[in-house]
Amino acid sequence: MTCWDTTLCQFVDAYLKGIHNFDVEKAYEAVKYSAEMDRLGLKYYKKIGFLPCDRQGESVSKTLEYCYDDWCISQMAKAMDRQFDYENYHQRAHNWKNVFDPSVGFMRGRKSDRAWLEPFDPLVNSVYSEGNAYQYMYVPHDINGLIGQMGGNQKFIEWLDLLFSLKSDRSERGAIGQYWHGNEPSHHLAYLYNYAGEAWKTQKLVDQILTKLYSTAPDGLAGNDDCGQISAWYIMSSMGFYPVAPGMPVYAIGSPLFNKVTIHLENGKKFVIKANNRTKDNFYIQSAKLNGKAYKKSFLRHEDIMNGGELVFEMGAKPNKNWGAAMENRCRSDNGKAIARIPYIKSGDLLFQESTLVELASDPENSSIRYTLDGTEPSEKSLLYTQPFKIRESATLKMKAFAPDKQPSAGVEYKFEKAKLLEASQAHVKPGLAYDYFERFFVTTSDLEISEPIEKGTTGNFNISKRKRENYFGFRFEGYINASKDGLYDFYLKSNDGSCLYIDGKEIIENDANHAAVEEPGRVGLKAGLHHILVKYFQCGGNKGLEVSWNGPGFDKHEIKDNELFTDY
């Protein structure tokens, strides 16, 4: 879970639990603004419903986090009576299904042409952030939807059993099978048995994690305590419950570690949790009472805590497999009625010279697509897509998918532009490329603009060989490139960790904070002659690399050469 993901859900969780002592409107606008950016892979997520693995590093992890973020925003929008926003983000929160491959039963990398990443090995970190496919079954807001996609409760339980028992050659701190407690997206997994009717397995695993993966030694945490999450997991779980989906006012019950815990609430009340007969061997819940009444649910509502009272567990050495097992007593998390997948452009150029042939498609293929070209919102009465069509002038395409027994998809907007070629520069130049070199920890390429370079100079091309260290450095390359003919030029930027490319002051490619060596394309119309080029690049740890390529009228794609770059006299 990223720091941004954590911050957003904290805003929403606080607001929905009655904490309003902050600027709610400003916080809401901030989270919404961030969700509508076109950076950090969101330009793909908003258009096609997922981040393609051939364009974005850690594509599956980011897709899943954006889905949960959207669900959080939808819940805050609903509480604030922002119905349009609620429906929009509620629909986007279904996007996790775009990276779930039912043929393998995992979240899987998907390319920009929608083909699944091959080969696929769930134990290999290919499209995940510090993990593999087992850890990234991360859909906290729609766990029951995930159970349905995986074939039902029994199939889901079998998958969880495998998750917590499967060994691999890779050794991770805090590992129980493929569960890695040191990696935060795993933290909810032990609690998921509650959703499928086997709460006793959650109790066993939670006790194992609490007692085996924590200690009072200097290295007593099983991993990097990002944003205090590993510590927070211990505090919550040791009391006996855990918020699987912050933003949902419900806690999944695990196994209380202490005989008695008292929560002193801000409203002056107290909520007491007792675990009678709790010993190191007695970690199974035999029965429970909430305020003196039998309590059989494997979850606890936030309002139950805030109302004050007493929750008493009777503990034992053998599992009570019936406690929390009935359907009405299970945790539940779903995102409502099924929604049609958003349609997408199968072929067609957003920037064209004379015309472009546009082909639309949707998943599944029996969905119908309605669209407009005048900027108005599409409805079931709008033009029905039946075959490819030509666009000859600049236009705004808006479209939605409609499918039987499903809500319409979210709307998708594409701007088609008839190219206006950028004028050439009259600069006086010589061979070479100017550069600024930086050293510090960078988060995005914009950090270069608020940093002072430690070295300036001239080089032949976009190489990073002049770096003075192997980690935490950046470059700013600036010069001119010569377009031999009027026409459309495609640029390509491949980097690790982040880069951006500008032509004549216009951002053409954003490949920022992308922690993998993936290539991003960008197109621009140029008149023959010199055009200013600027490339920003940074590396923040791990691998490094930068490649800048292009193709245009009369020549094929190649990495830009020394004799194609120039700098001012």
Side-chain angles (χ1 to χ4, degrees):
M1 182 180 291
T2 63
C3 293
W4 159 243
D5 191 59
T6 304
T7 303
L8 190 154
C9 75
Q10 285 174 340
F11 272 135
V12 174
D13 198 45
Y15 180 76
L16 294 177
K17 289 176 178 174
I19 300 172
H20 299 164
N21 58 346
F22 59 94
D23 191 331
V24 173
E25 291 291 336
K26 191 171 184 178
Y28 179 75
E29 291 305 317
V31 298
K32 184 180 172 183
Y33 173 82
S34 298
E36 294 302 329
M37 294 190 304
D38 285 332
R39 311 188 74 80
L40 307 177
L42 281 164
K43 58 189 175 186
Y44 294 111
Y45 178 81
K46 294 190 298 181
K47 299 294 189 194
I48 62 176
F50 64 95
L51 278 65
C53 60
D54 55 341
R55 295 285 183 261
Q56 290 285 305
E58 304 172 342
S59 59
V60 168
S61 302
K62 293 177 184 175
T63 297
L64 296 177
E65 289 195 13
Y66 288 157
C67 286
Y68 173 55
D69 292 343
D70 283 341
W71 177 82
C72 287
I73 298 172
S74 77
Q75 298 307 295
M76 193 167 182
K78 185 177 182 181
M80 296 174 67
D81 199 26
R82 307 284 182 92
Q83 187 63 24
F84 177 83
D85 285 351
Y86 164 72
E87 292 178 0
N88 179 44
Y89 292 109
H90 163 71
Q91 290 172 325
R92 281 173 36 167
H94 282 268
N95 281 344
W96 65 268
K97 296 170 186 174
N98 292 322
V99 292
F100 180 80
D101 182 0
S103 70
V104 297
F106 286 97
M107 306 293 175
R108 183 176 181 181
R110 203 168 190 180
K111 298 181 181 180
S112 50
D113 64 0
R114 305 183 88 79
W116 294 110
L117 177 65
E118 294 282 1
F120 174 72
D121 183 344
L123 293 175
V124 174
N125 182 353
S126 54
V127 288
Y128 315 95
S129 177
E130 303 176 7
N132 62 35
Y134 280 95
Q135 290 92 53
Y136 276 94
M137 209 61 90
Y138 182 69
V139 195
H141 62 288
D142 199 7
I143 295 167
N144 288 89
L146 177 62
I147 291 173
Q149 290 285 318
M150 294 185 73
N153 291 316
Q154 190 55 44
K155 291 285 186 183
F156 188 63
I157 288 169
E158 291 171 2
W159 181 86
L160 287 172
D161 289 345
L162 179 63
L163 163 74
F164 286 101
S165 61
L166 182 63
K167 305 295 184 184
S168 66
D169 294 334
R170 178 171 173 173
S171 177
E172 292 289 336
R173 284 189 65 202
I176 302 175
Q178 289 306 302
Y179 174 83
W180 300 349
H181 195 66
N183 195 25
E184 287 81 356
S186 292
H187 279 182
H188 67 302
L189 292 172
Y191 285 90
L192 297 191
Y193 285 106
N194 284 11
Y195 294 77
E198 292 195 351
W200 64 275
K201 289 183 177 178
T202 285
Q203 296 157 29
K204 179 180 179 180
L205 282 163
V206 168
D207 177 78
Q208 183 178 351
I209 297 167
L210 285 168
T211 58
K212 304 299 183 185
L213 301 186
Y214 290 85
S215 77
T216 56
D219 62 346
L221 296 179
N224 181 6
D225 198 15
D226 287 340
C227 298
Q229 170 59 19
I230 295 179
S231 300
W233 190 97
Y234 183 89
I235 292 170
M236 295 296 297
S237 296
S238 65
M239 291 193 295
F241 51 88
Y242 182 75
V244 169
M248 190 175 293
V250 173
Y251 304 89
I253 291 175
S255 179
L257 184 61
F258 302 110
N259 297 117
K260 181 179 179 182
V261 170
T262 301
I263 303 174
H264 298 271
L265 302 166
E266 289 186 355
N267 59 14
K269 298 180 181 180
K270 296 179 182 179
F271 188 76
V272 179
I273 305 109
K274 291 182 179 179
N276 293 333
N277 199 34
R278 177 56 158 111
T279 66
K280 70 180 185 65
D281 297 318
N282 293 352
F283 49 77
Y284 288 114
I285 296 173
Q286 306 300 300
S287 63
K289 288 185 178 181
L290 178 62
N291 297 327
K293 296 182 180 179
Y295 194 79
K296 300 179 180 180
K297 301 183 185 300
S298 63
F299 61 89
L300 188 64
R301 296 183 181 90
H302 182 70
E303 63 185 64
D304 293 332
I305 298 175
M306 297 306 295
N307 287 336
E310 185 177 71
L311 177 62
V312 180
F313 295 104
E314 299 297 332
M315 309 300 292
K318 295 182 179 180
N320 177 357
K321 297 182 179 180
N322 293 321
W323 189 86
M327 193 67 70
E328 65 272 16
N329 293 328
R330 299 178 188 178
C331 295
R332 184 165 185 84
S333 163
D334 66 67
N335 198 31
K337 188 176 180 181
I339 292 175
R341 309 281 181 92
I342 58 175
Y344 57 94
I345 295 176
K346 193 171 184 179
S347 62
D349 297 319
L350 295 181
L351 184 67
F352 59 91
Q353 279 193 280
E354 300 300 328
S355 66
T356 184
L357 185 66
V358 179
E359 182 180 2
L360 307 181
S362 62
D363 295 328
E365 294 181 353
N366 65 348
S367 299
S368 62
I369 301 172
R370 299 281 179 170
Y371 70 97
T372 66
L373 290 170
D374 59 2
T376 59
E377 292 299 320
S379 69
E380 290 184 276
K381 296 181 179 180
S382 299
L383 290 171
L384 174 66
Y385 175 77
T386 56
Q387 61 185 14
F389 56 89
K390 276 191 175 182
I391 293 181
R392 295 181 172 84
E393 300 294 335
S394 296
T396 298
L397 167 69
K398 291 188 176 183
M399 56 182 173
K400 285 185 178 181
F402 297 84
D405 301 321
K406 293 182 179 179
Q407 294 179 353
S409 75
V412 189
E413 176 180 309
Y414 288 88
K415 291 187 182 297
F416 288 85
E417 183 181 353
K418 191 168 187 177
K420 295 179 181 178
L421 305 186
L422 299 179
E423 297 288 342
S425 170
Q426 301 303 313
H428 299 285
V429 297
K430 61 182 179 180
L433 189 66
Y435 75 87
D436 295 334
Y437 172 69
F438 306 82
E439 289 184 352
R440 60 165 280 188
F441 181 84
F442 294 102
V443 178
T444 70
T445 54
S446 61
D447 291 343
L448 294 170
E449 302 307 315
I450 58 174
S451 306
E452 289 295 327
I454 65 170
E455 181 178 287
K456 293 176 177 283
T458 303
T459 184
N461 55 34
F462 300 100
N463 71 77
I464 59 174
S465 61
K466 292 184 180 293
R467 66 185 183 274
K468 311 298 182 185
R469 61 201 292 185
E470 294 303 303
N471 289 306
Y472 310 118
F473 63 85
F475 281 92
R476 189 179 189 274
F477 297 100
E478 190 168 8
Y480 295 87
I481 196 162
N482 188 42
S484 57
K485 298 179 181 179
D486 290 0
L488 298 181
Y489 289 78
D490 293 304
F491 288 82
Y492 306 86
L493 197 55
K494 184 177 182 180
S495 64
N496 189 333
D497 289 291
S499 58
C500 290
L501 181 147
Y502 304 79
I503 299 293
D504 293 340
K506 179 181 180 181
E507 185 180 82
I508 305 302
I509 302 175
E510 180 264 327
N511 197 0
D512 213 353
N514 209 345
H515 303 300
V518 291
E519 187 176 76
E520 279 276 11
R523 172 172 286 190
V524 63
L526 303 176
K527 286 191 175 181
L530 294 170
H531 292 270
H532 184 268
I533 185 168
L534 170 65
V535 171
K536 302 176 186 178
Y537 165 82
F538 76 89
Q539 189 268 0
C540 72
N543 297 322
K544 62 187 75 67
L546 174 66
E547 293 180 14
V548 187
S549 305
W550 72 330
N551 66 265
F555 67 93
D556 294 329
K557 178 185 175 184
H558 63 269
E559 195 168 349
I560 297 176
K561 305 171 185 175
D562 291 31
N563 61 8
E564 295 175 306
L565 293 166
F566 305 90
T567 187
D568 291 297
Y569 273 117

